[in-house]
Amino acid sequence: MELILNFKYIALPVIIIWIIGVILSLFSDKKLIVNIGNAFVLLGIFSLSIFISILWIKLERAPMRTLGETRLWYSLFLSIIGTIMYYKWKVKWSITFSILLSILFLAVNLIHPENFQKTLMPALQSYWFVPHVIVYIFAYAILGAATLLAIKGLILAYKKRFDNIIITYADNLVYIGFSFLTFGLLFGALWAKEAWGSYWTWDPKETWSFITWLLYLLYIHYRYFNRKAEKTPLWLLSLAFLFLMICWFGINYLPTAANSVHTYSQG
């Protein structure tokens, strides 16, 4: 069991399996080879799911306390979302980019290994903790996939080969991601009330999360009133994701983190 819980013994094989899967899927037009590549991708997702499940049981708590643990969930969700996009919309590069980004987050965890402690501080011992974190990380993954579409759209736009279907896909992902982001915000307020006695205190983390939420709301409204716009909404989507990343872990490295009650780990 201890060997299984050693992160590097899981992360390295998953990364290798995913790289093989991406190479087979990306550089072959033969259906059999592509299917084998996709099978490798699914095997990596399955392996990471099993690791997180075992970790949850072993820690006797949801593995969502540290940044490293949330990165595990993000890698899992993003790889699943990229795979669903591939099968639903037949967007071949979506699985490639989502898997490569998932690999990046696993690699960050390898560089900064976590200490998987069992103890939760009192503020995290709330029944709102798990739904708040898991809803937020799922929203981050969905919106991360939308950002990949935005980047792809910008590249094509500047090459004068823009395809409007890309921004339509991005819209669909943003609608879903924004819904979960809103639930995360509400769950967080309920959690804050229970943990600190107030729904909202304009803590640095809360402020950045609210700004991020507003940016995605701005994107939705901009798209509603400017259906033919191309580059501006895609840049707006990319900017919103940059703020999302700052809200997630960038805030921990800002001077204002010293005043935040939401800083639990620098990992």
Side-chain angles (χ1 to χ4, degrees):
M1 180 67 78
E2 294 301 325
L3 183 64
I4 294 176
L5 286 175
N6 192 320
F7 178 67
K8 66 181 179 182
Y9 293 126
I10 295 297
L12 286 174
V14 168
I15 289 174
I16 293 171
I17 288 170
W18 273 347
I19 290 175
I20 294 173
V22 166
I23 291 174
L24 293 177
S25 299
L26 189 63
F27 296 104
S28 177
D29 293 326
K30 295 182 179 179
K31 188 174 181 180
L32 177 61
I33 301 299
V34 172
N35 287 338
I36 292 174
N38 293 340
F40 270 89
V41 170
L42 294 174
L43 177 61
I45 293 173
F46 177 75
S47 302
L48 190 57
S49 303
I50 294 298
F51 173 72
I52 292 175
S53 301
I54 294 175
L55 186 63
W56 192 325
I57 295 170
K58 181 66 177 179
L59 293 178
E60 299 175 357
R61 64 166 175 81
M64 301 173 182
R65 173 185 173 233
T66 67
L67 285 177
E69 290 169 2
T70 56
R71 282 193 288 262
L72 279 179
W73 287 95
Y74 191 82
S75 296
L76 176 64
F77 285 151
L78 187 61
S79 58
I80 292 173
I81 292 166
T83 303
I84 292 173
M85 287 169 61
Y86 169 75
Y87 282 107
K88 181 174 178 57
W89 293 331
K90 307 301 179 187
V91 183
K92 189 173 183 179
W93 57 267
S94 67
I95 195 170
T96 302
F97 286 168
S98 61
I99 291 298
L100 291 179
L101 193 55
S102 295
I103 288 174
L104 175 63
F105 276 80
L106 289 183
V108 171
N109 269 9
L110 282 172
I111 296 171
H112 301 285
E114 295 292 322
N115 295 318
F116 296 111
Q117 301 174 355
K118 287 186 178 181
T119 307
L120 283 179
M121 64 179 63
L124 303 182
Q125 297 174 12
S126 165
Y127 50 82
W128 289 111
F129 172 58
V130 172
H132 168 69
V133 175
I134 205 163
V135 163
Y136 250 132
I137 297 301
F138 185 72
Y140 289 179
I142 288 273
L143 296 171
T147 306
L148 293 177
L149 286 167
I151 294 171
K152 177 75 172 180
L154 282 171
I155 293 172
L156 292 177
Y158 282 104
K159 289 183 177 180
K160 308 297 183 186
R161 293 192 287 115
F162 183 74
D163 185 349
N164 197 57
I165 193 66
I166 288 180
I167 201 166
T168 301
Y169 290 156
D171 285 347
N172 290 329
L173 290 176
V174 169
Y175 297 150
I176 298 171
F178 182 76
S179 301
F180 279 90
L181 202 65
T182 303
F183 278 117
L185 207 62
L186 294 174
F187 290 165
L190 294 171
W191 175 22
K193 176 64 176 176
E194 182 182 291
W196 298 287
S198 177
Y199 291 105
W200 196 270
T201 59
W202 294 108
D203 177 274
K205 186 84 170 182
E206 296 170 355
T207 303
W208 279 90
S209 65
F210 184 61
I211 294 172
T212 304
W213 184 83
L214 285 178
L215 283 173
Y216 281 105
L217 185 63
L218 175 63
Y219 170 85
I220 291 171
H221 281 76
Y222 186 87
R223 281 288 294 152
Y224 182 81
F225 291 106
N226 301 274
R227 301 302 297 178
K228 294 183 178 179
E230 297 176 359
K231 294 177 185 175
T232 301
L234 295 175
W235 276 116
L236 180 58
L237 197 51
S238 302
L239 177 66
F241 189 70
L242 175 63
F243 274 72
L244 187 152
M245 288 289 105
I246 295 174
C247 175
W248 184 7
F249 49 77
I251 186 74
N252 292 323
Y253 303 98
L254 296 178
T256 53
N259 302 319
S260 176
V261 298
H262 294 285
T263 303
Y264 314 114
S265 165
Q266 296 292 331

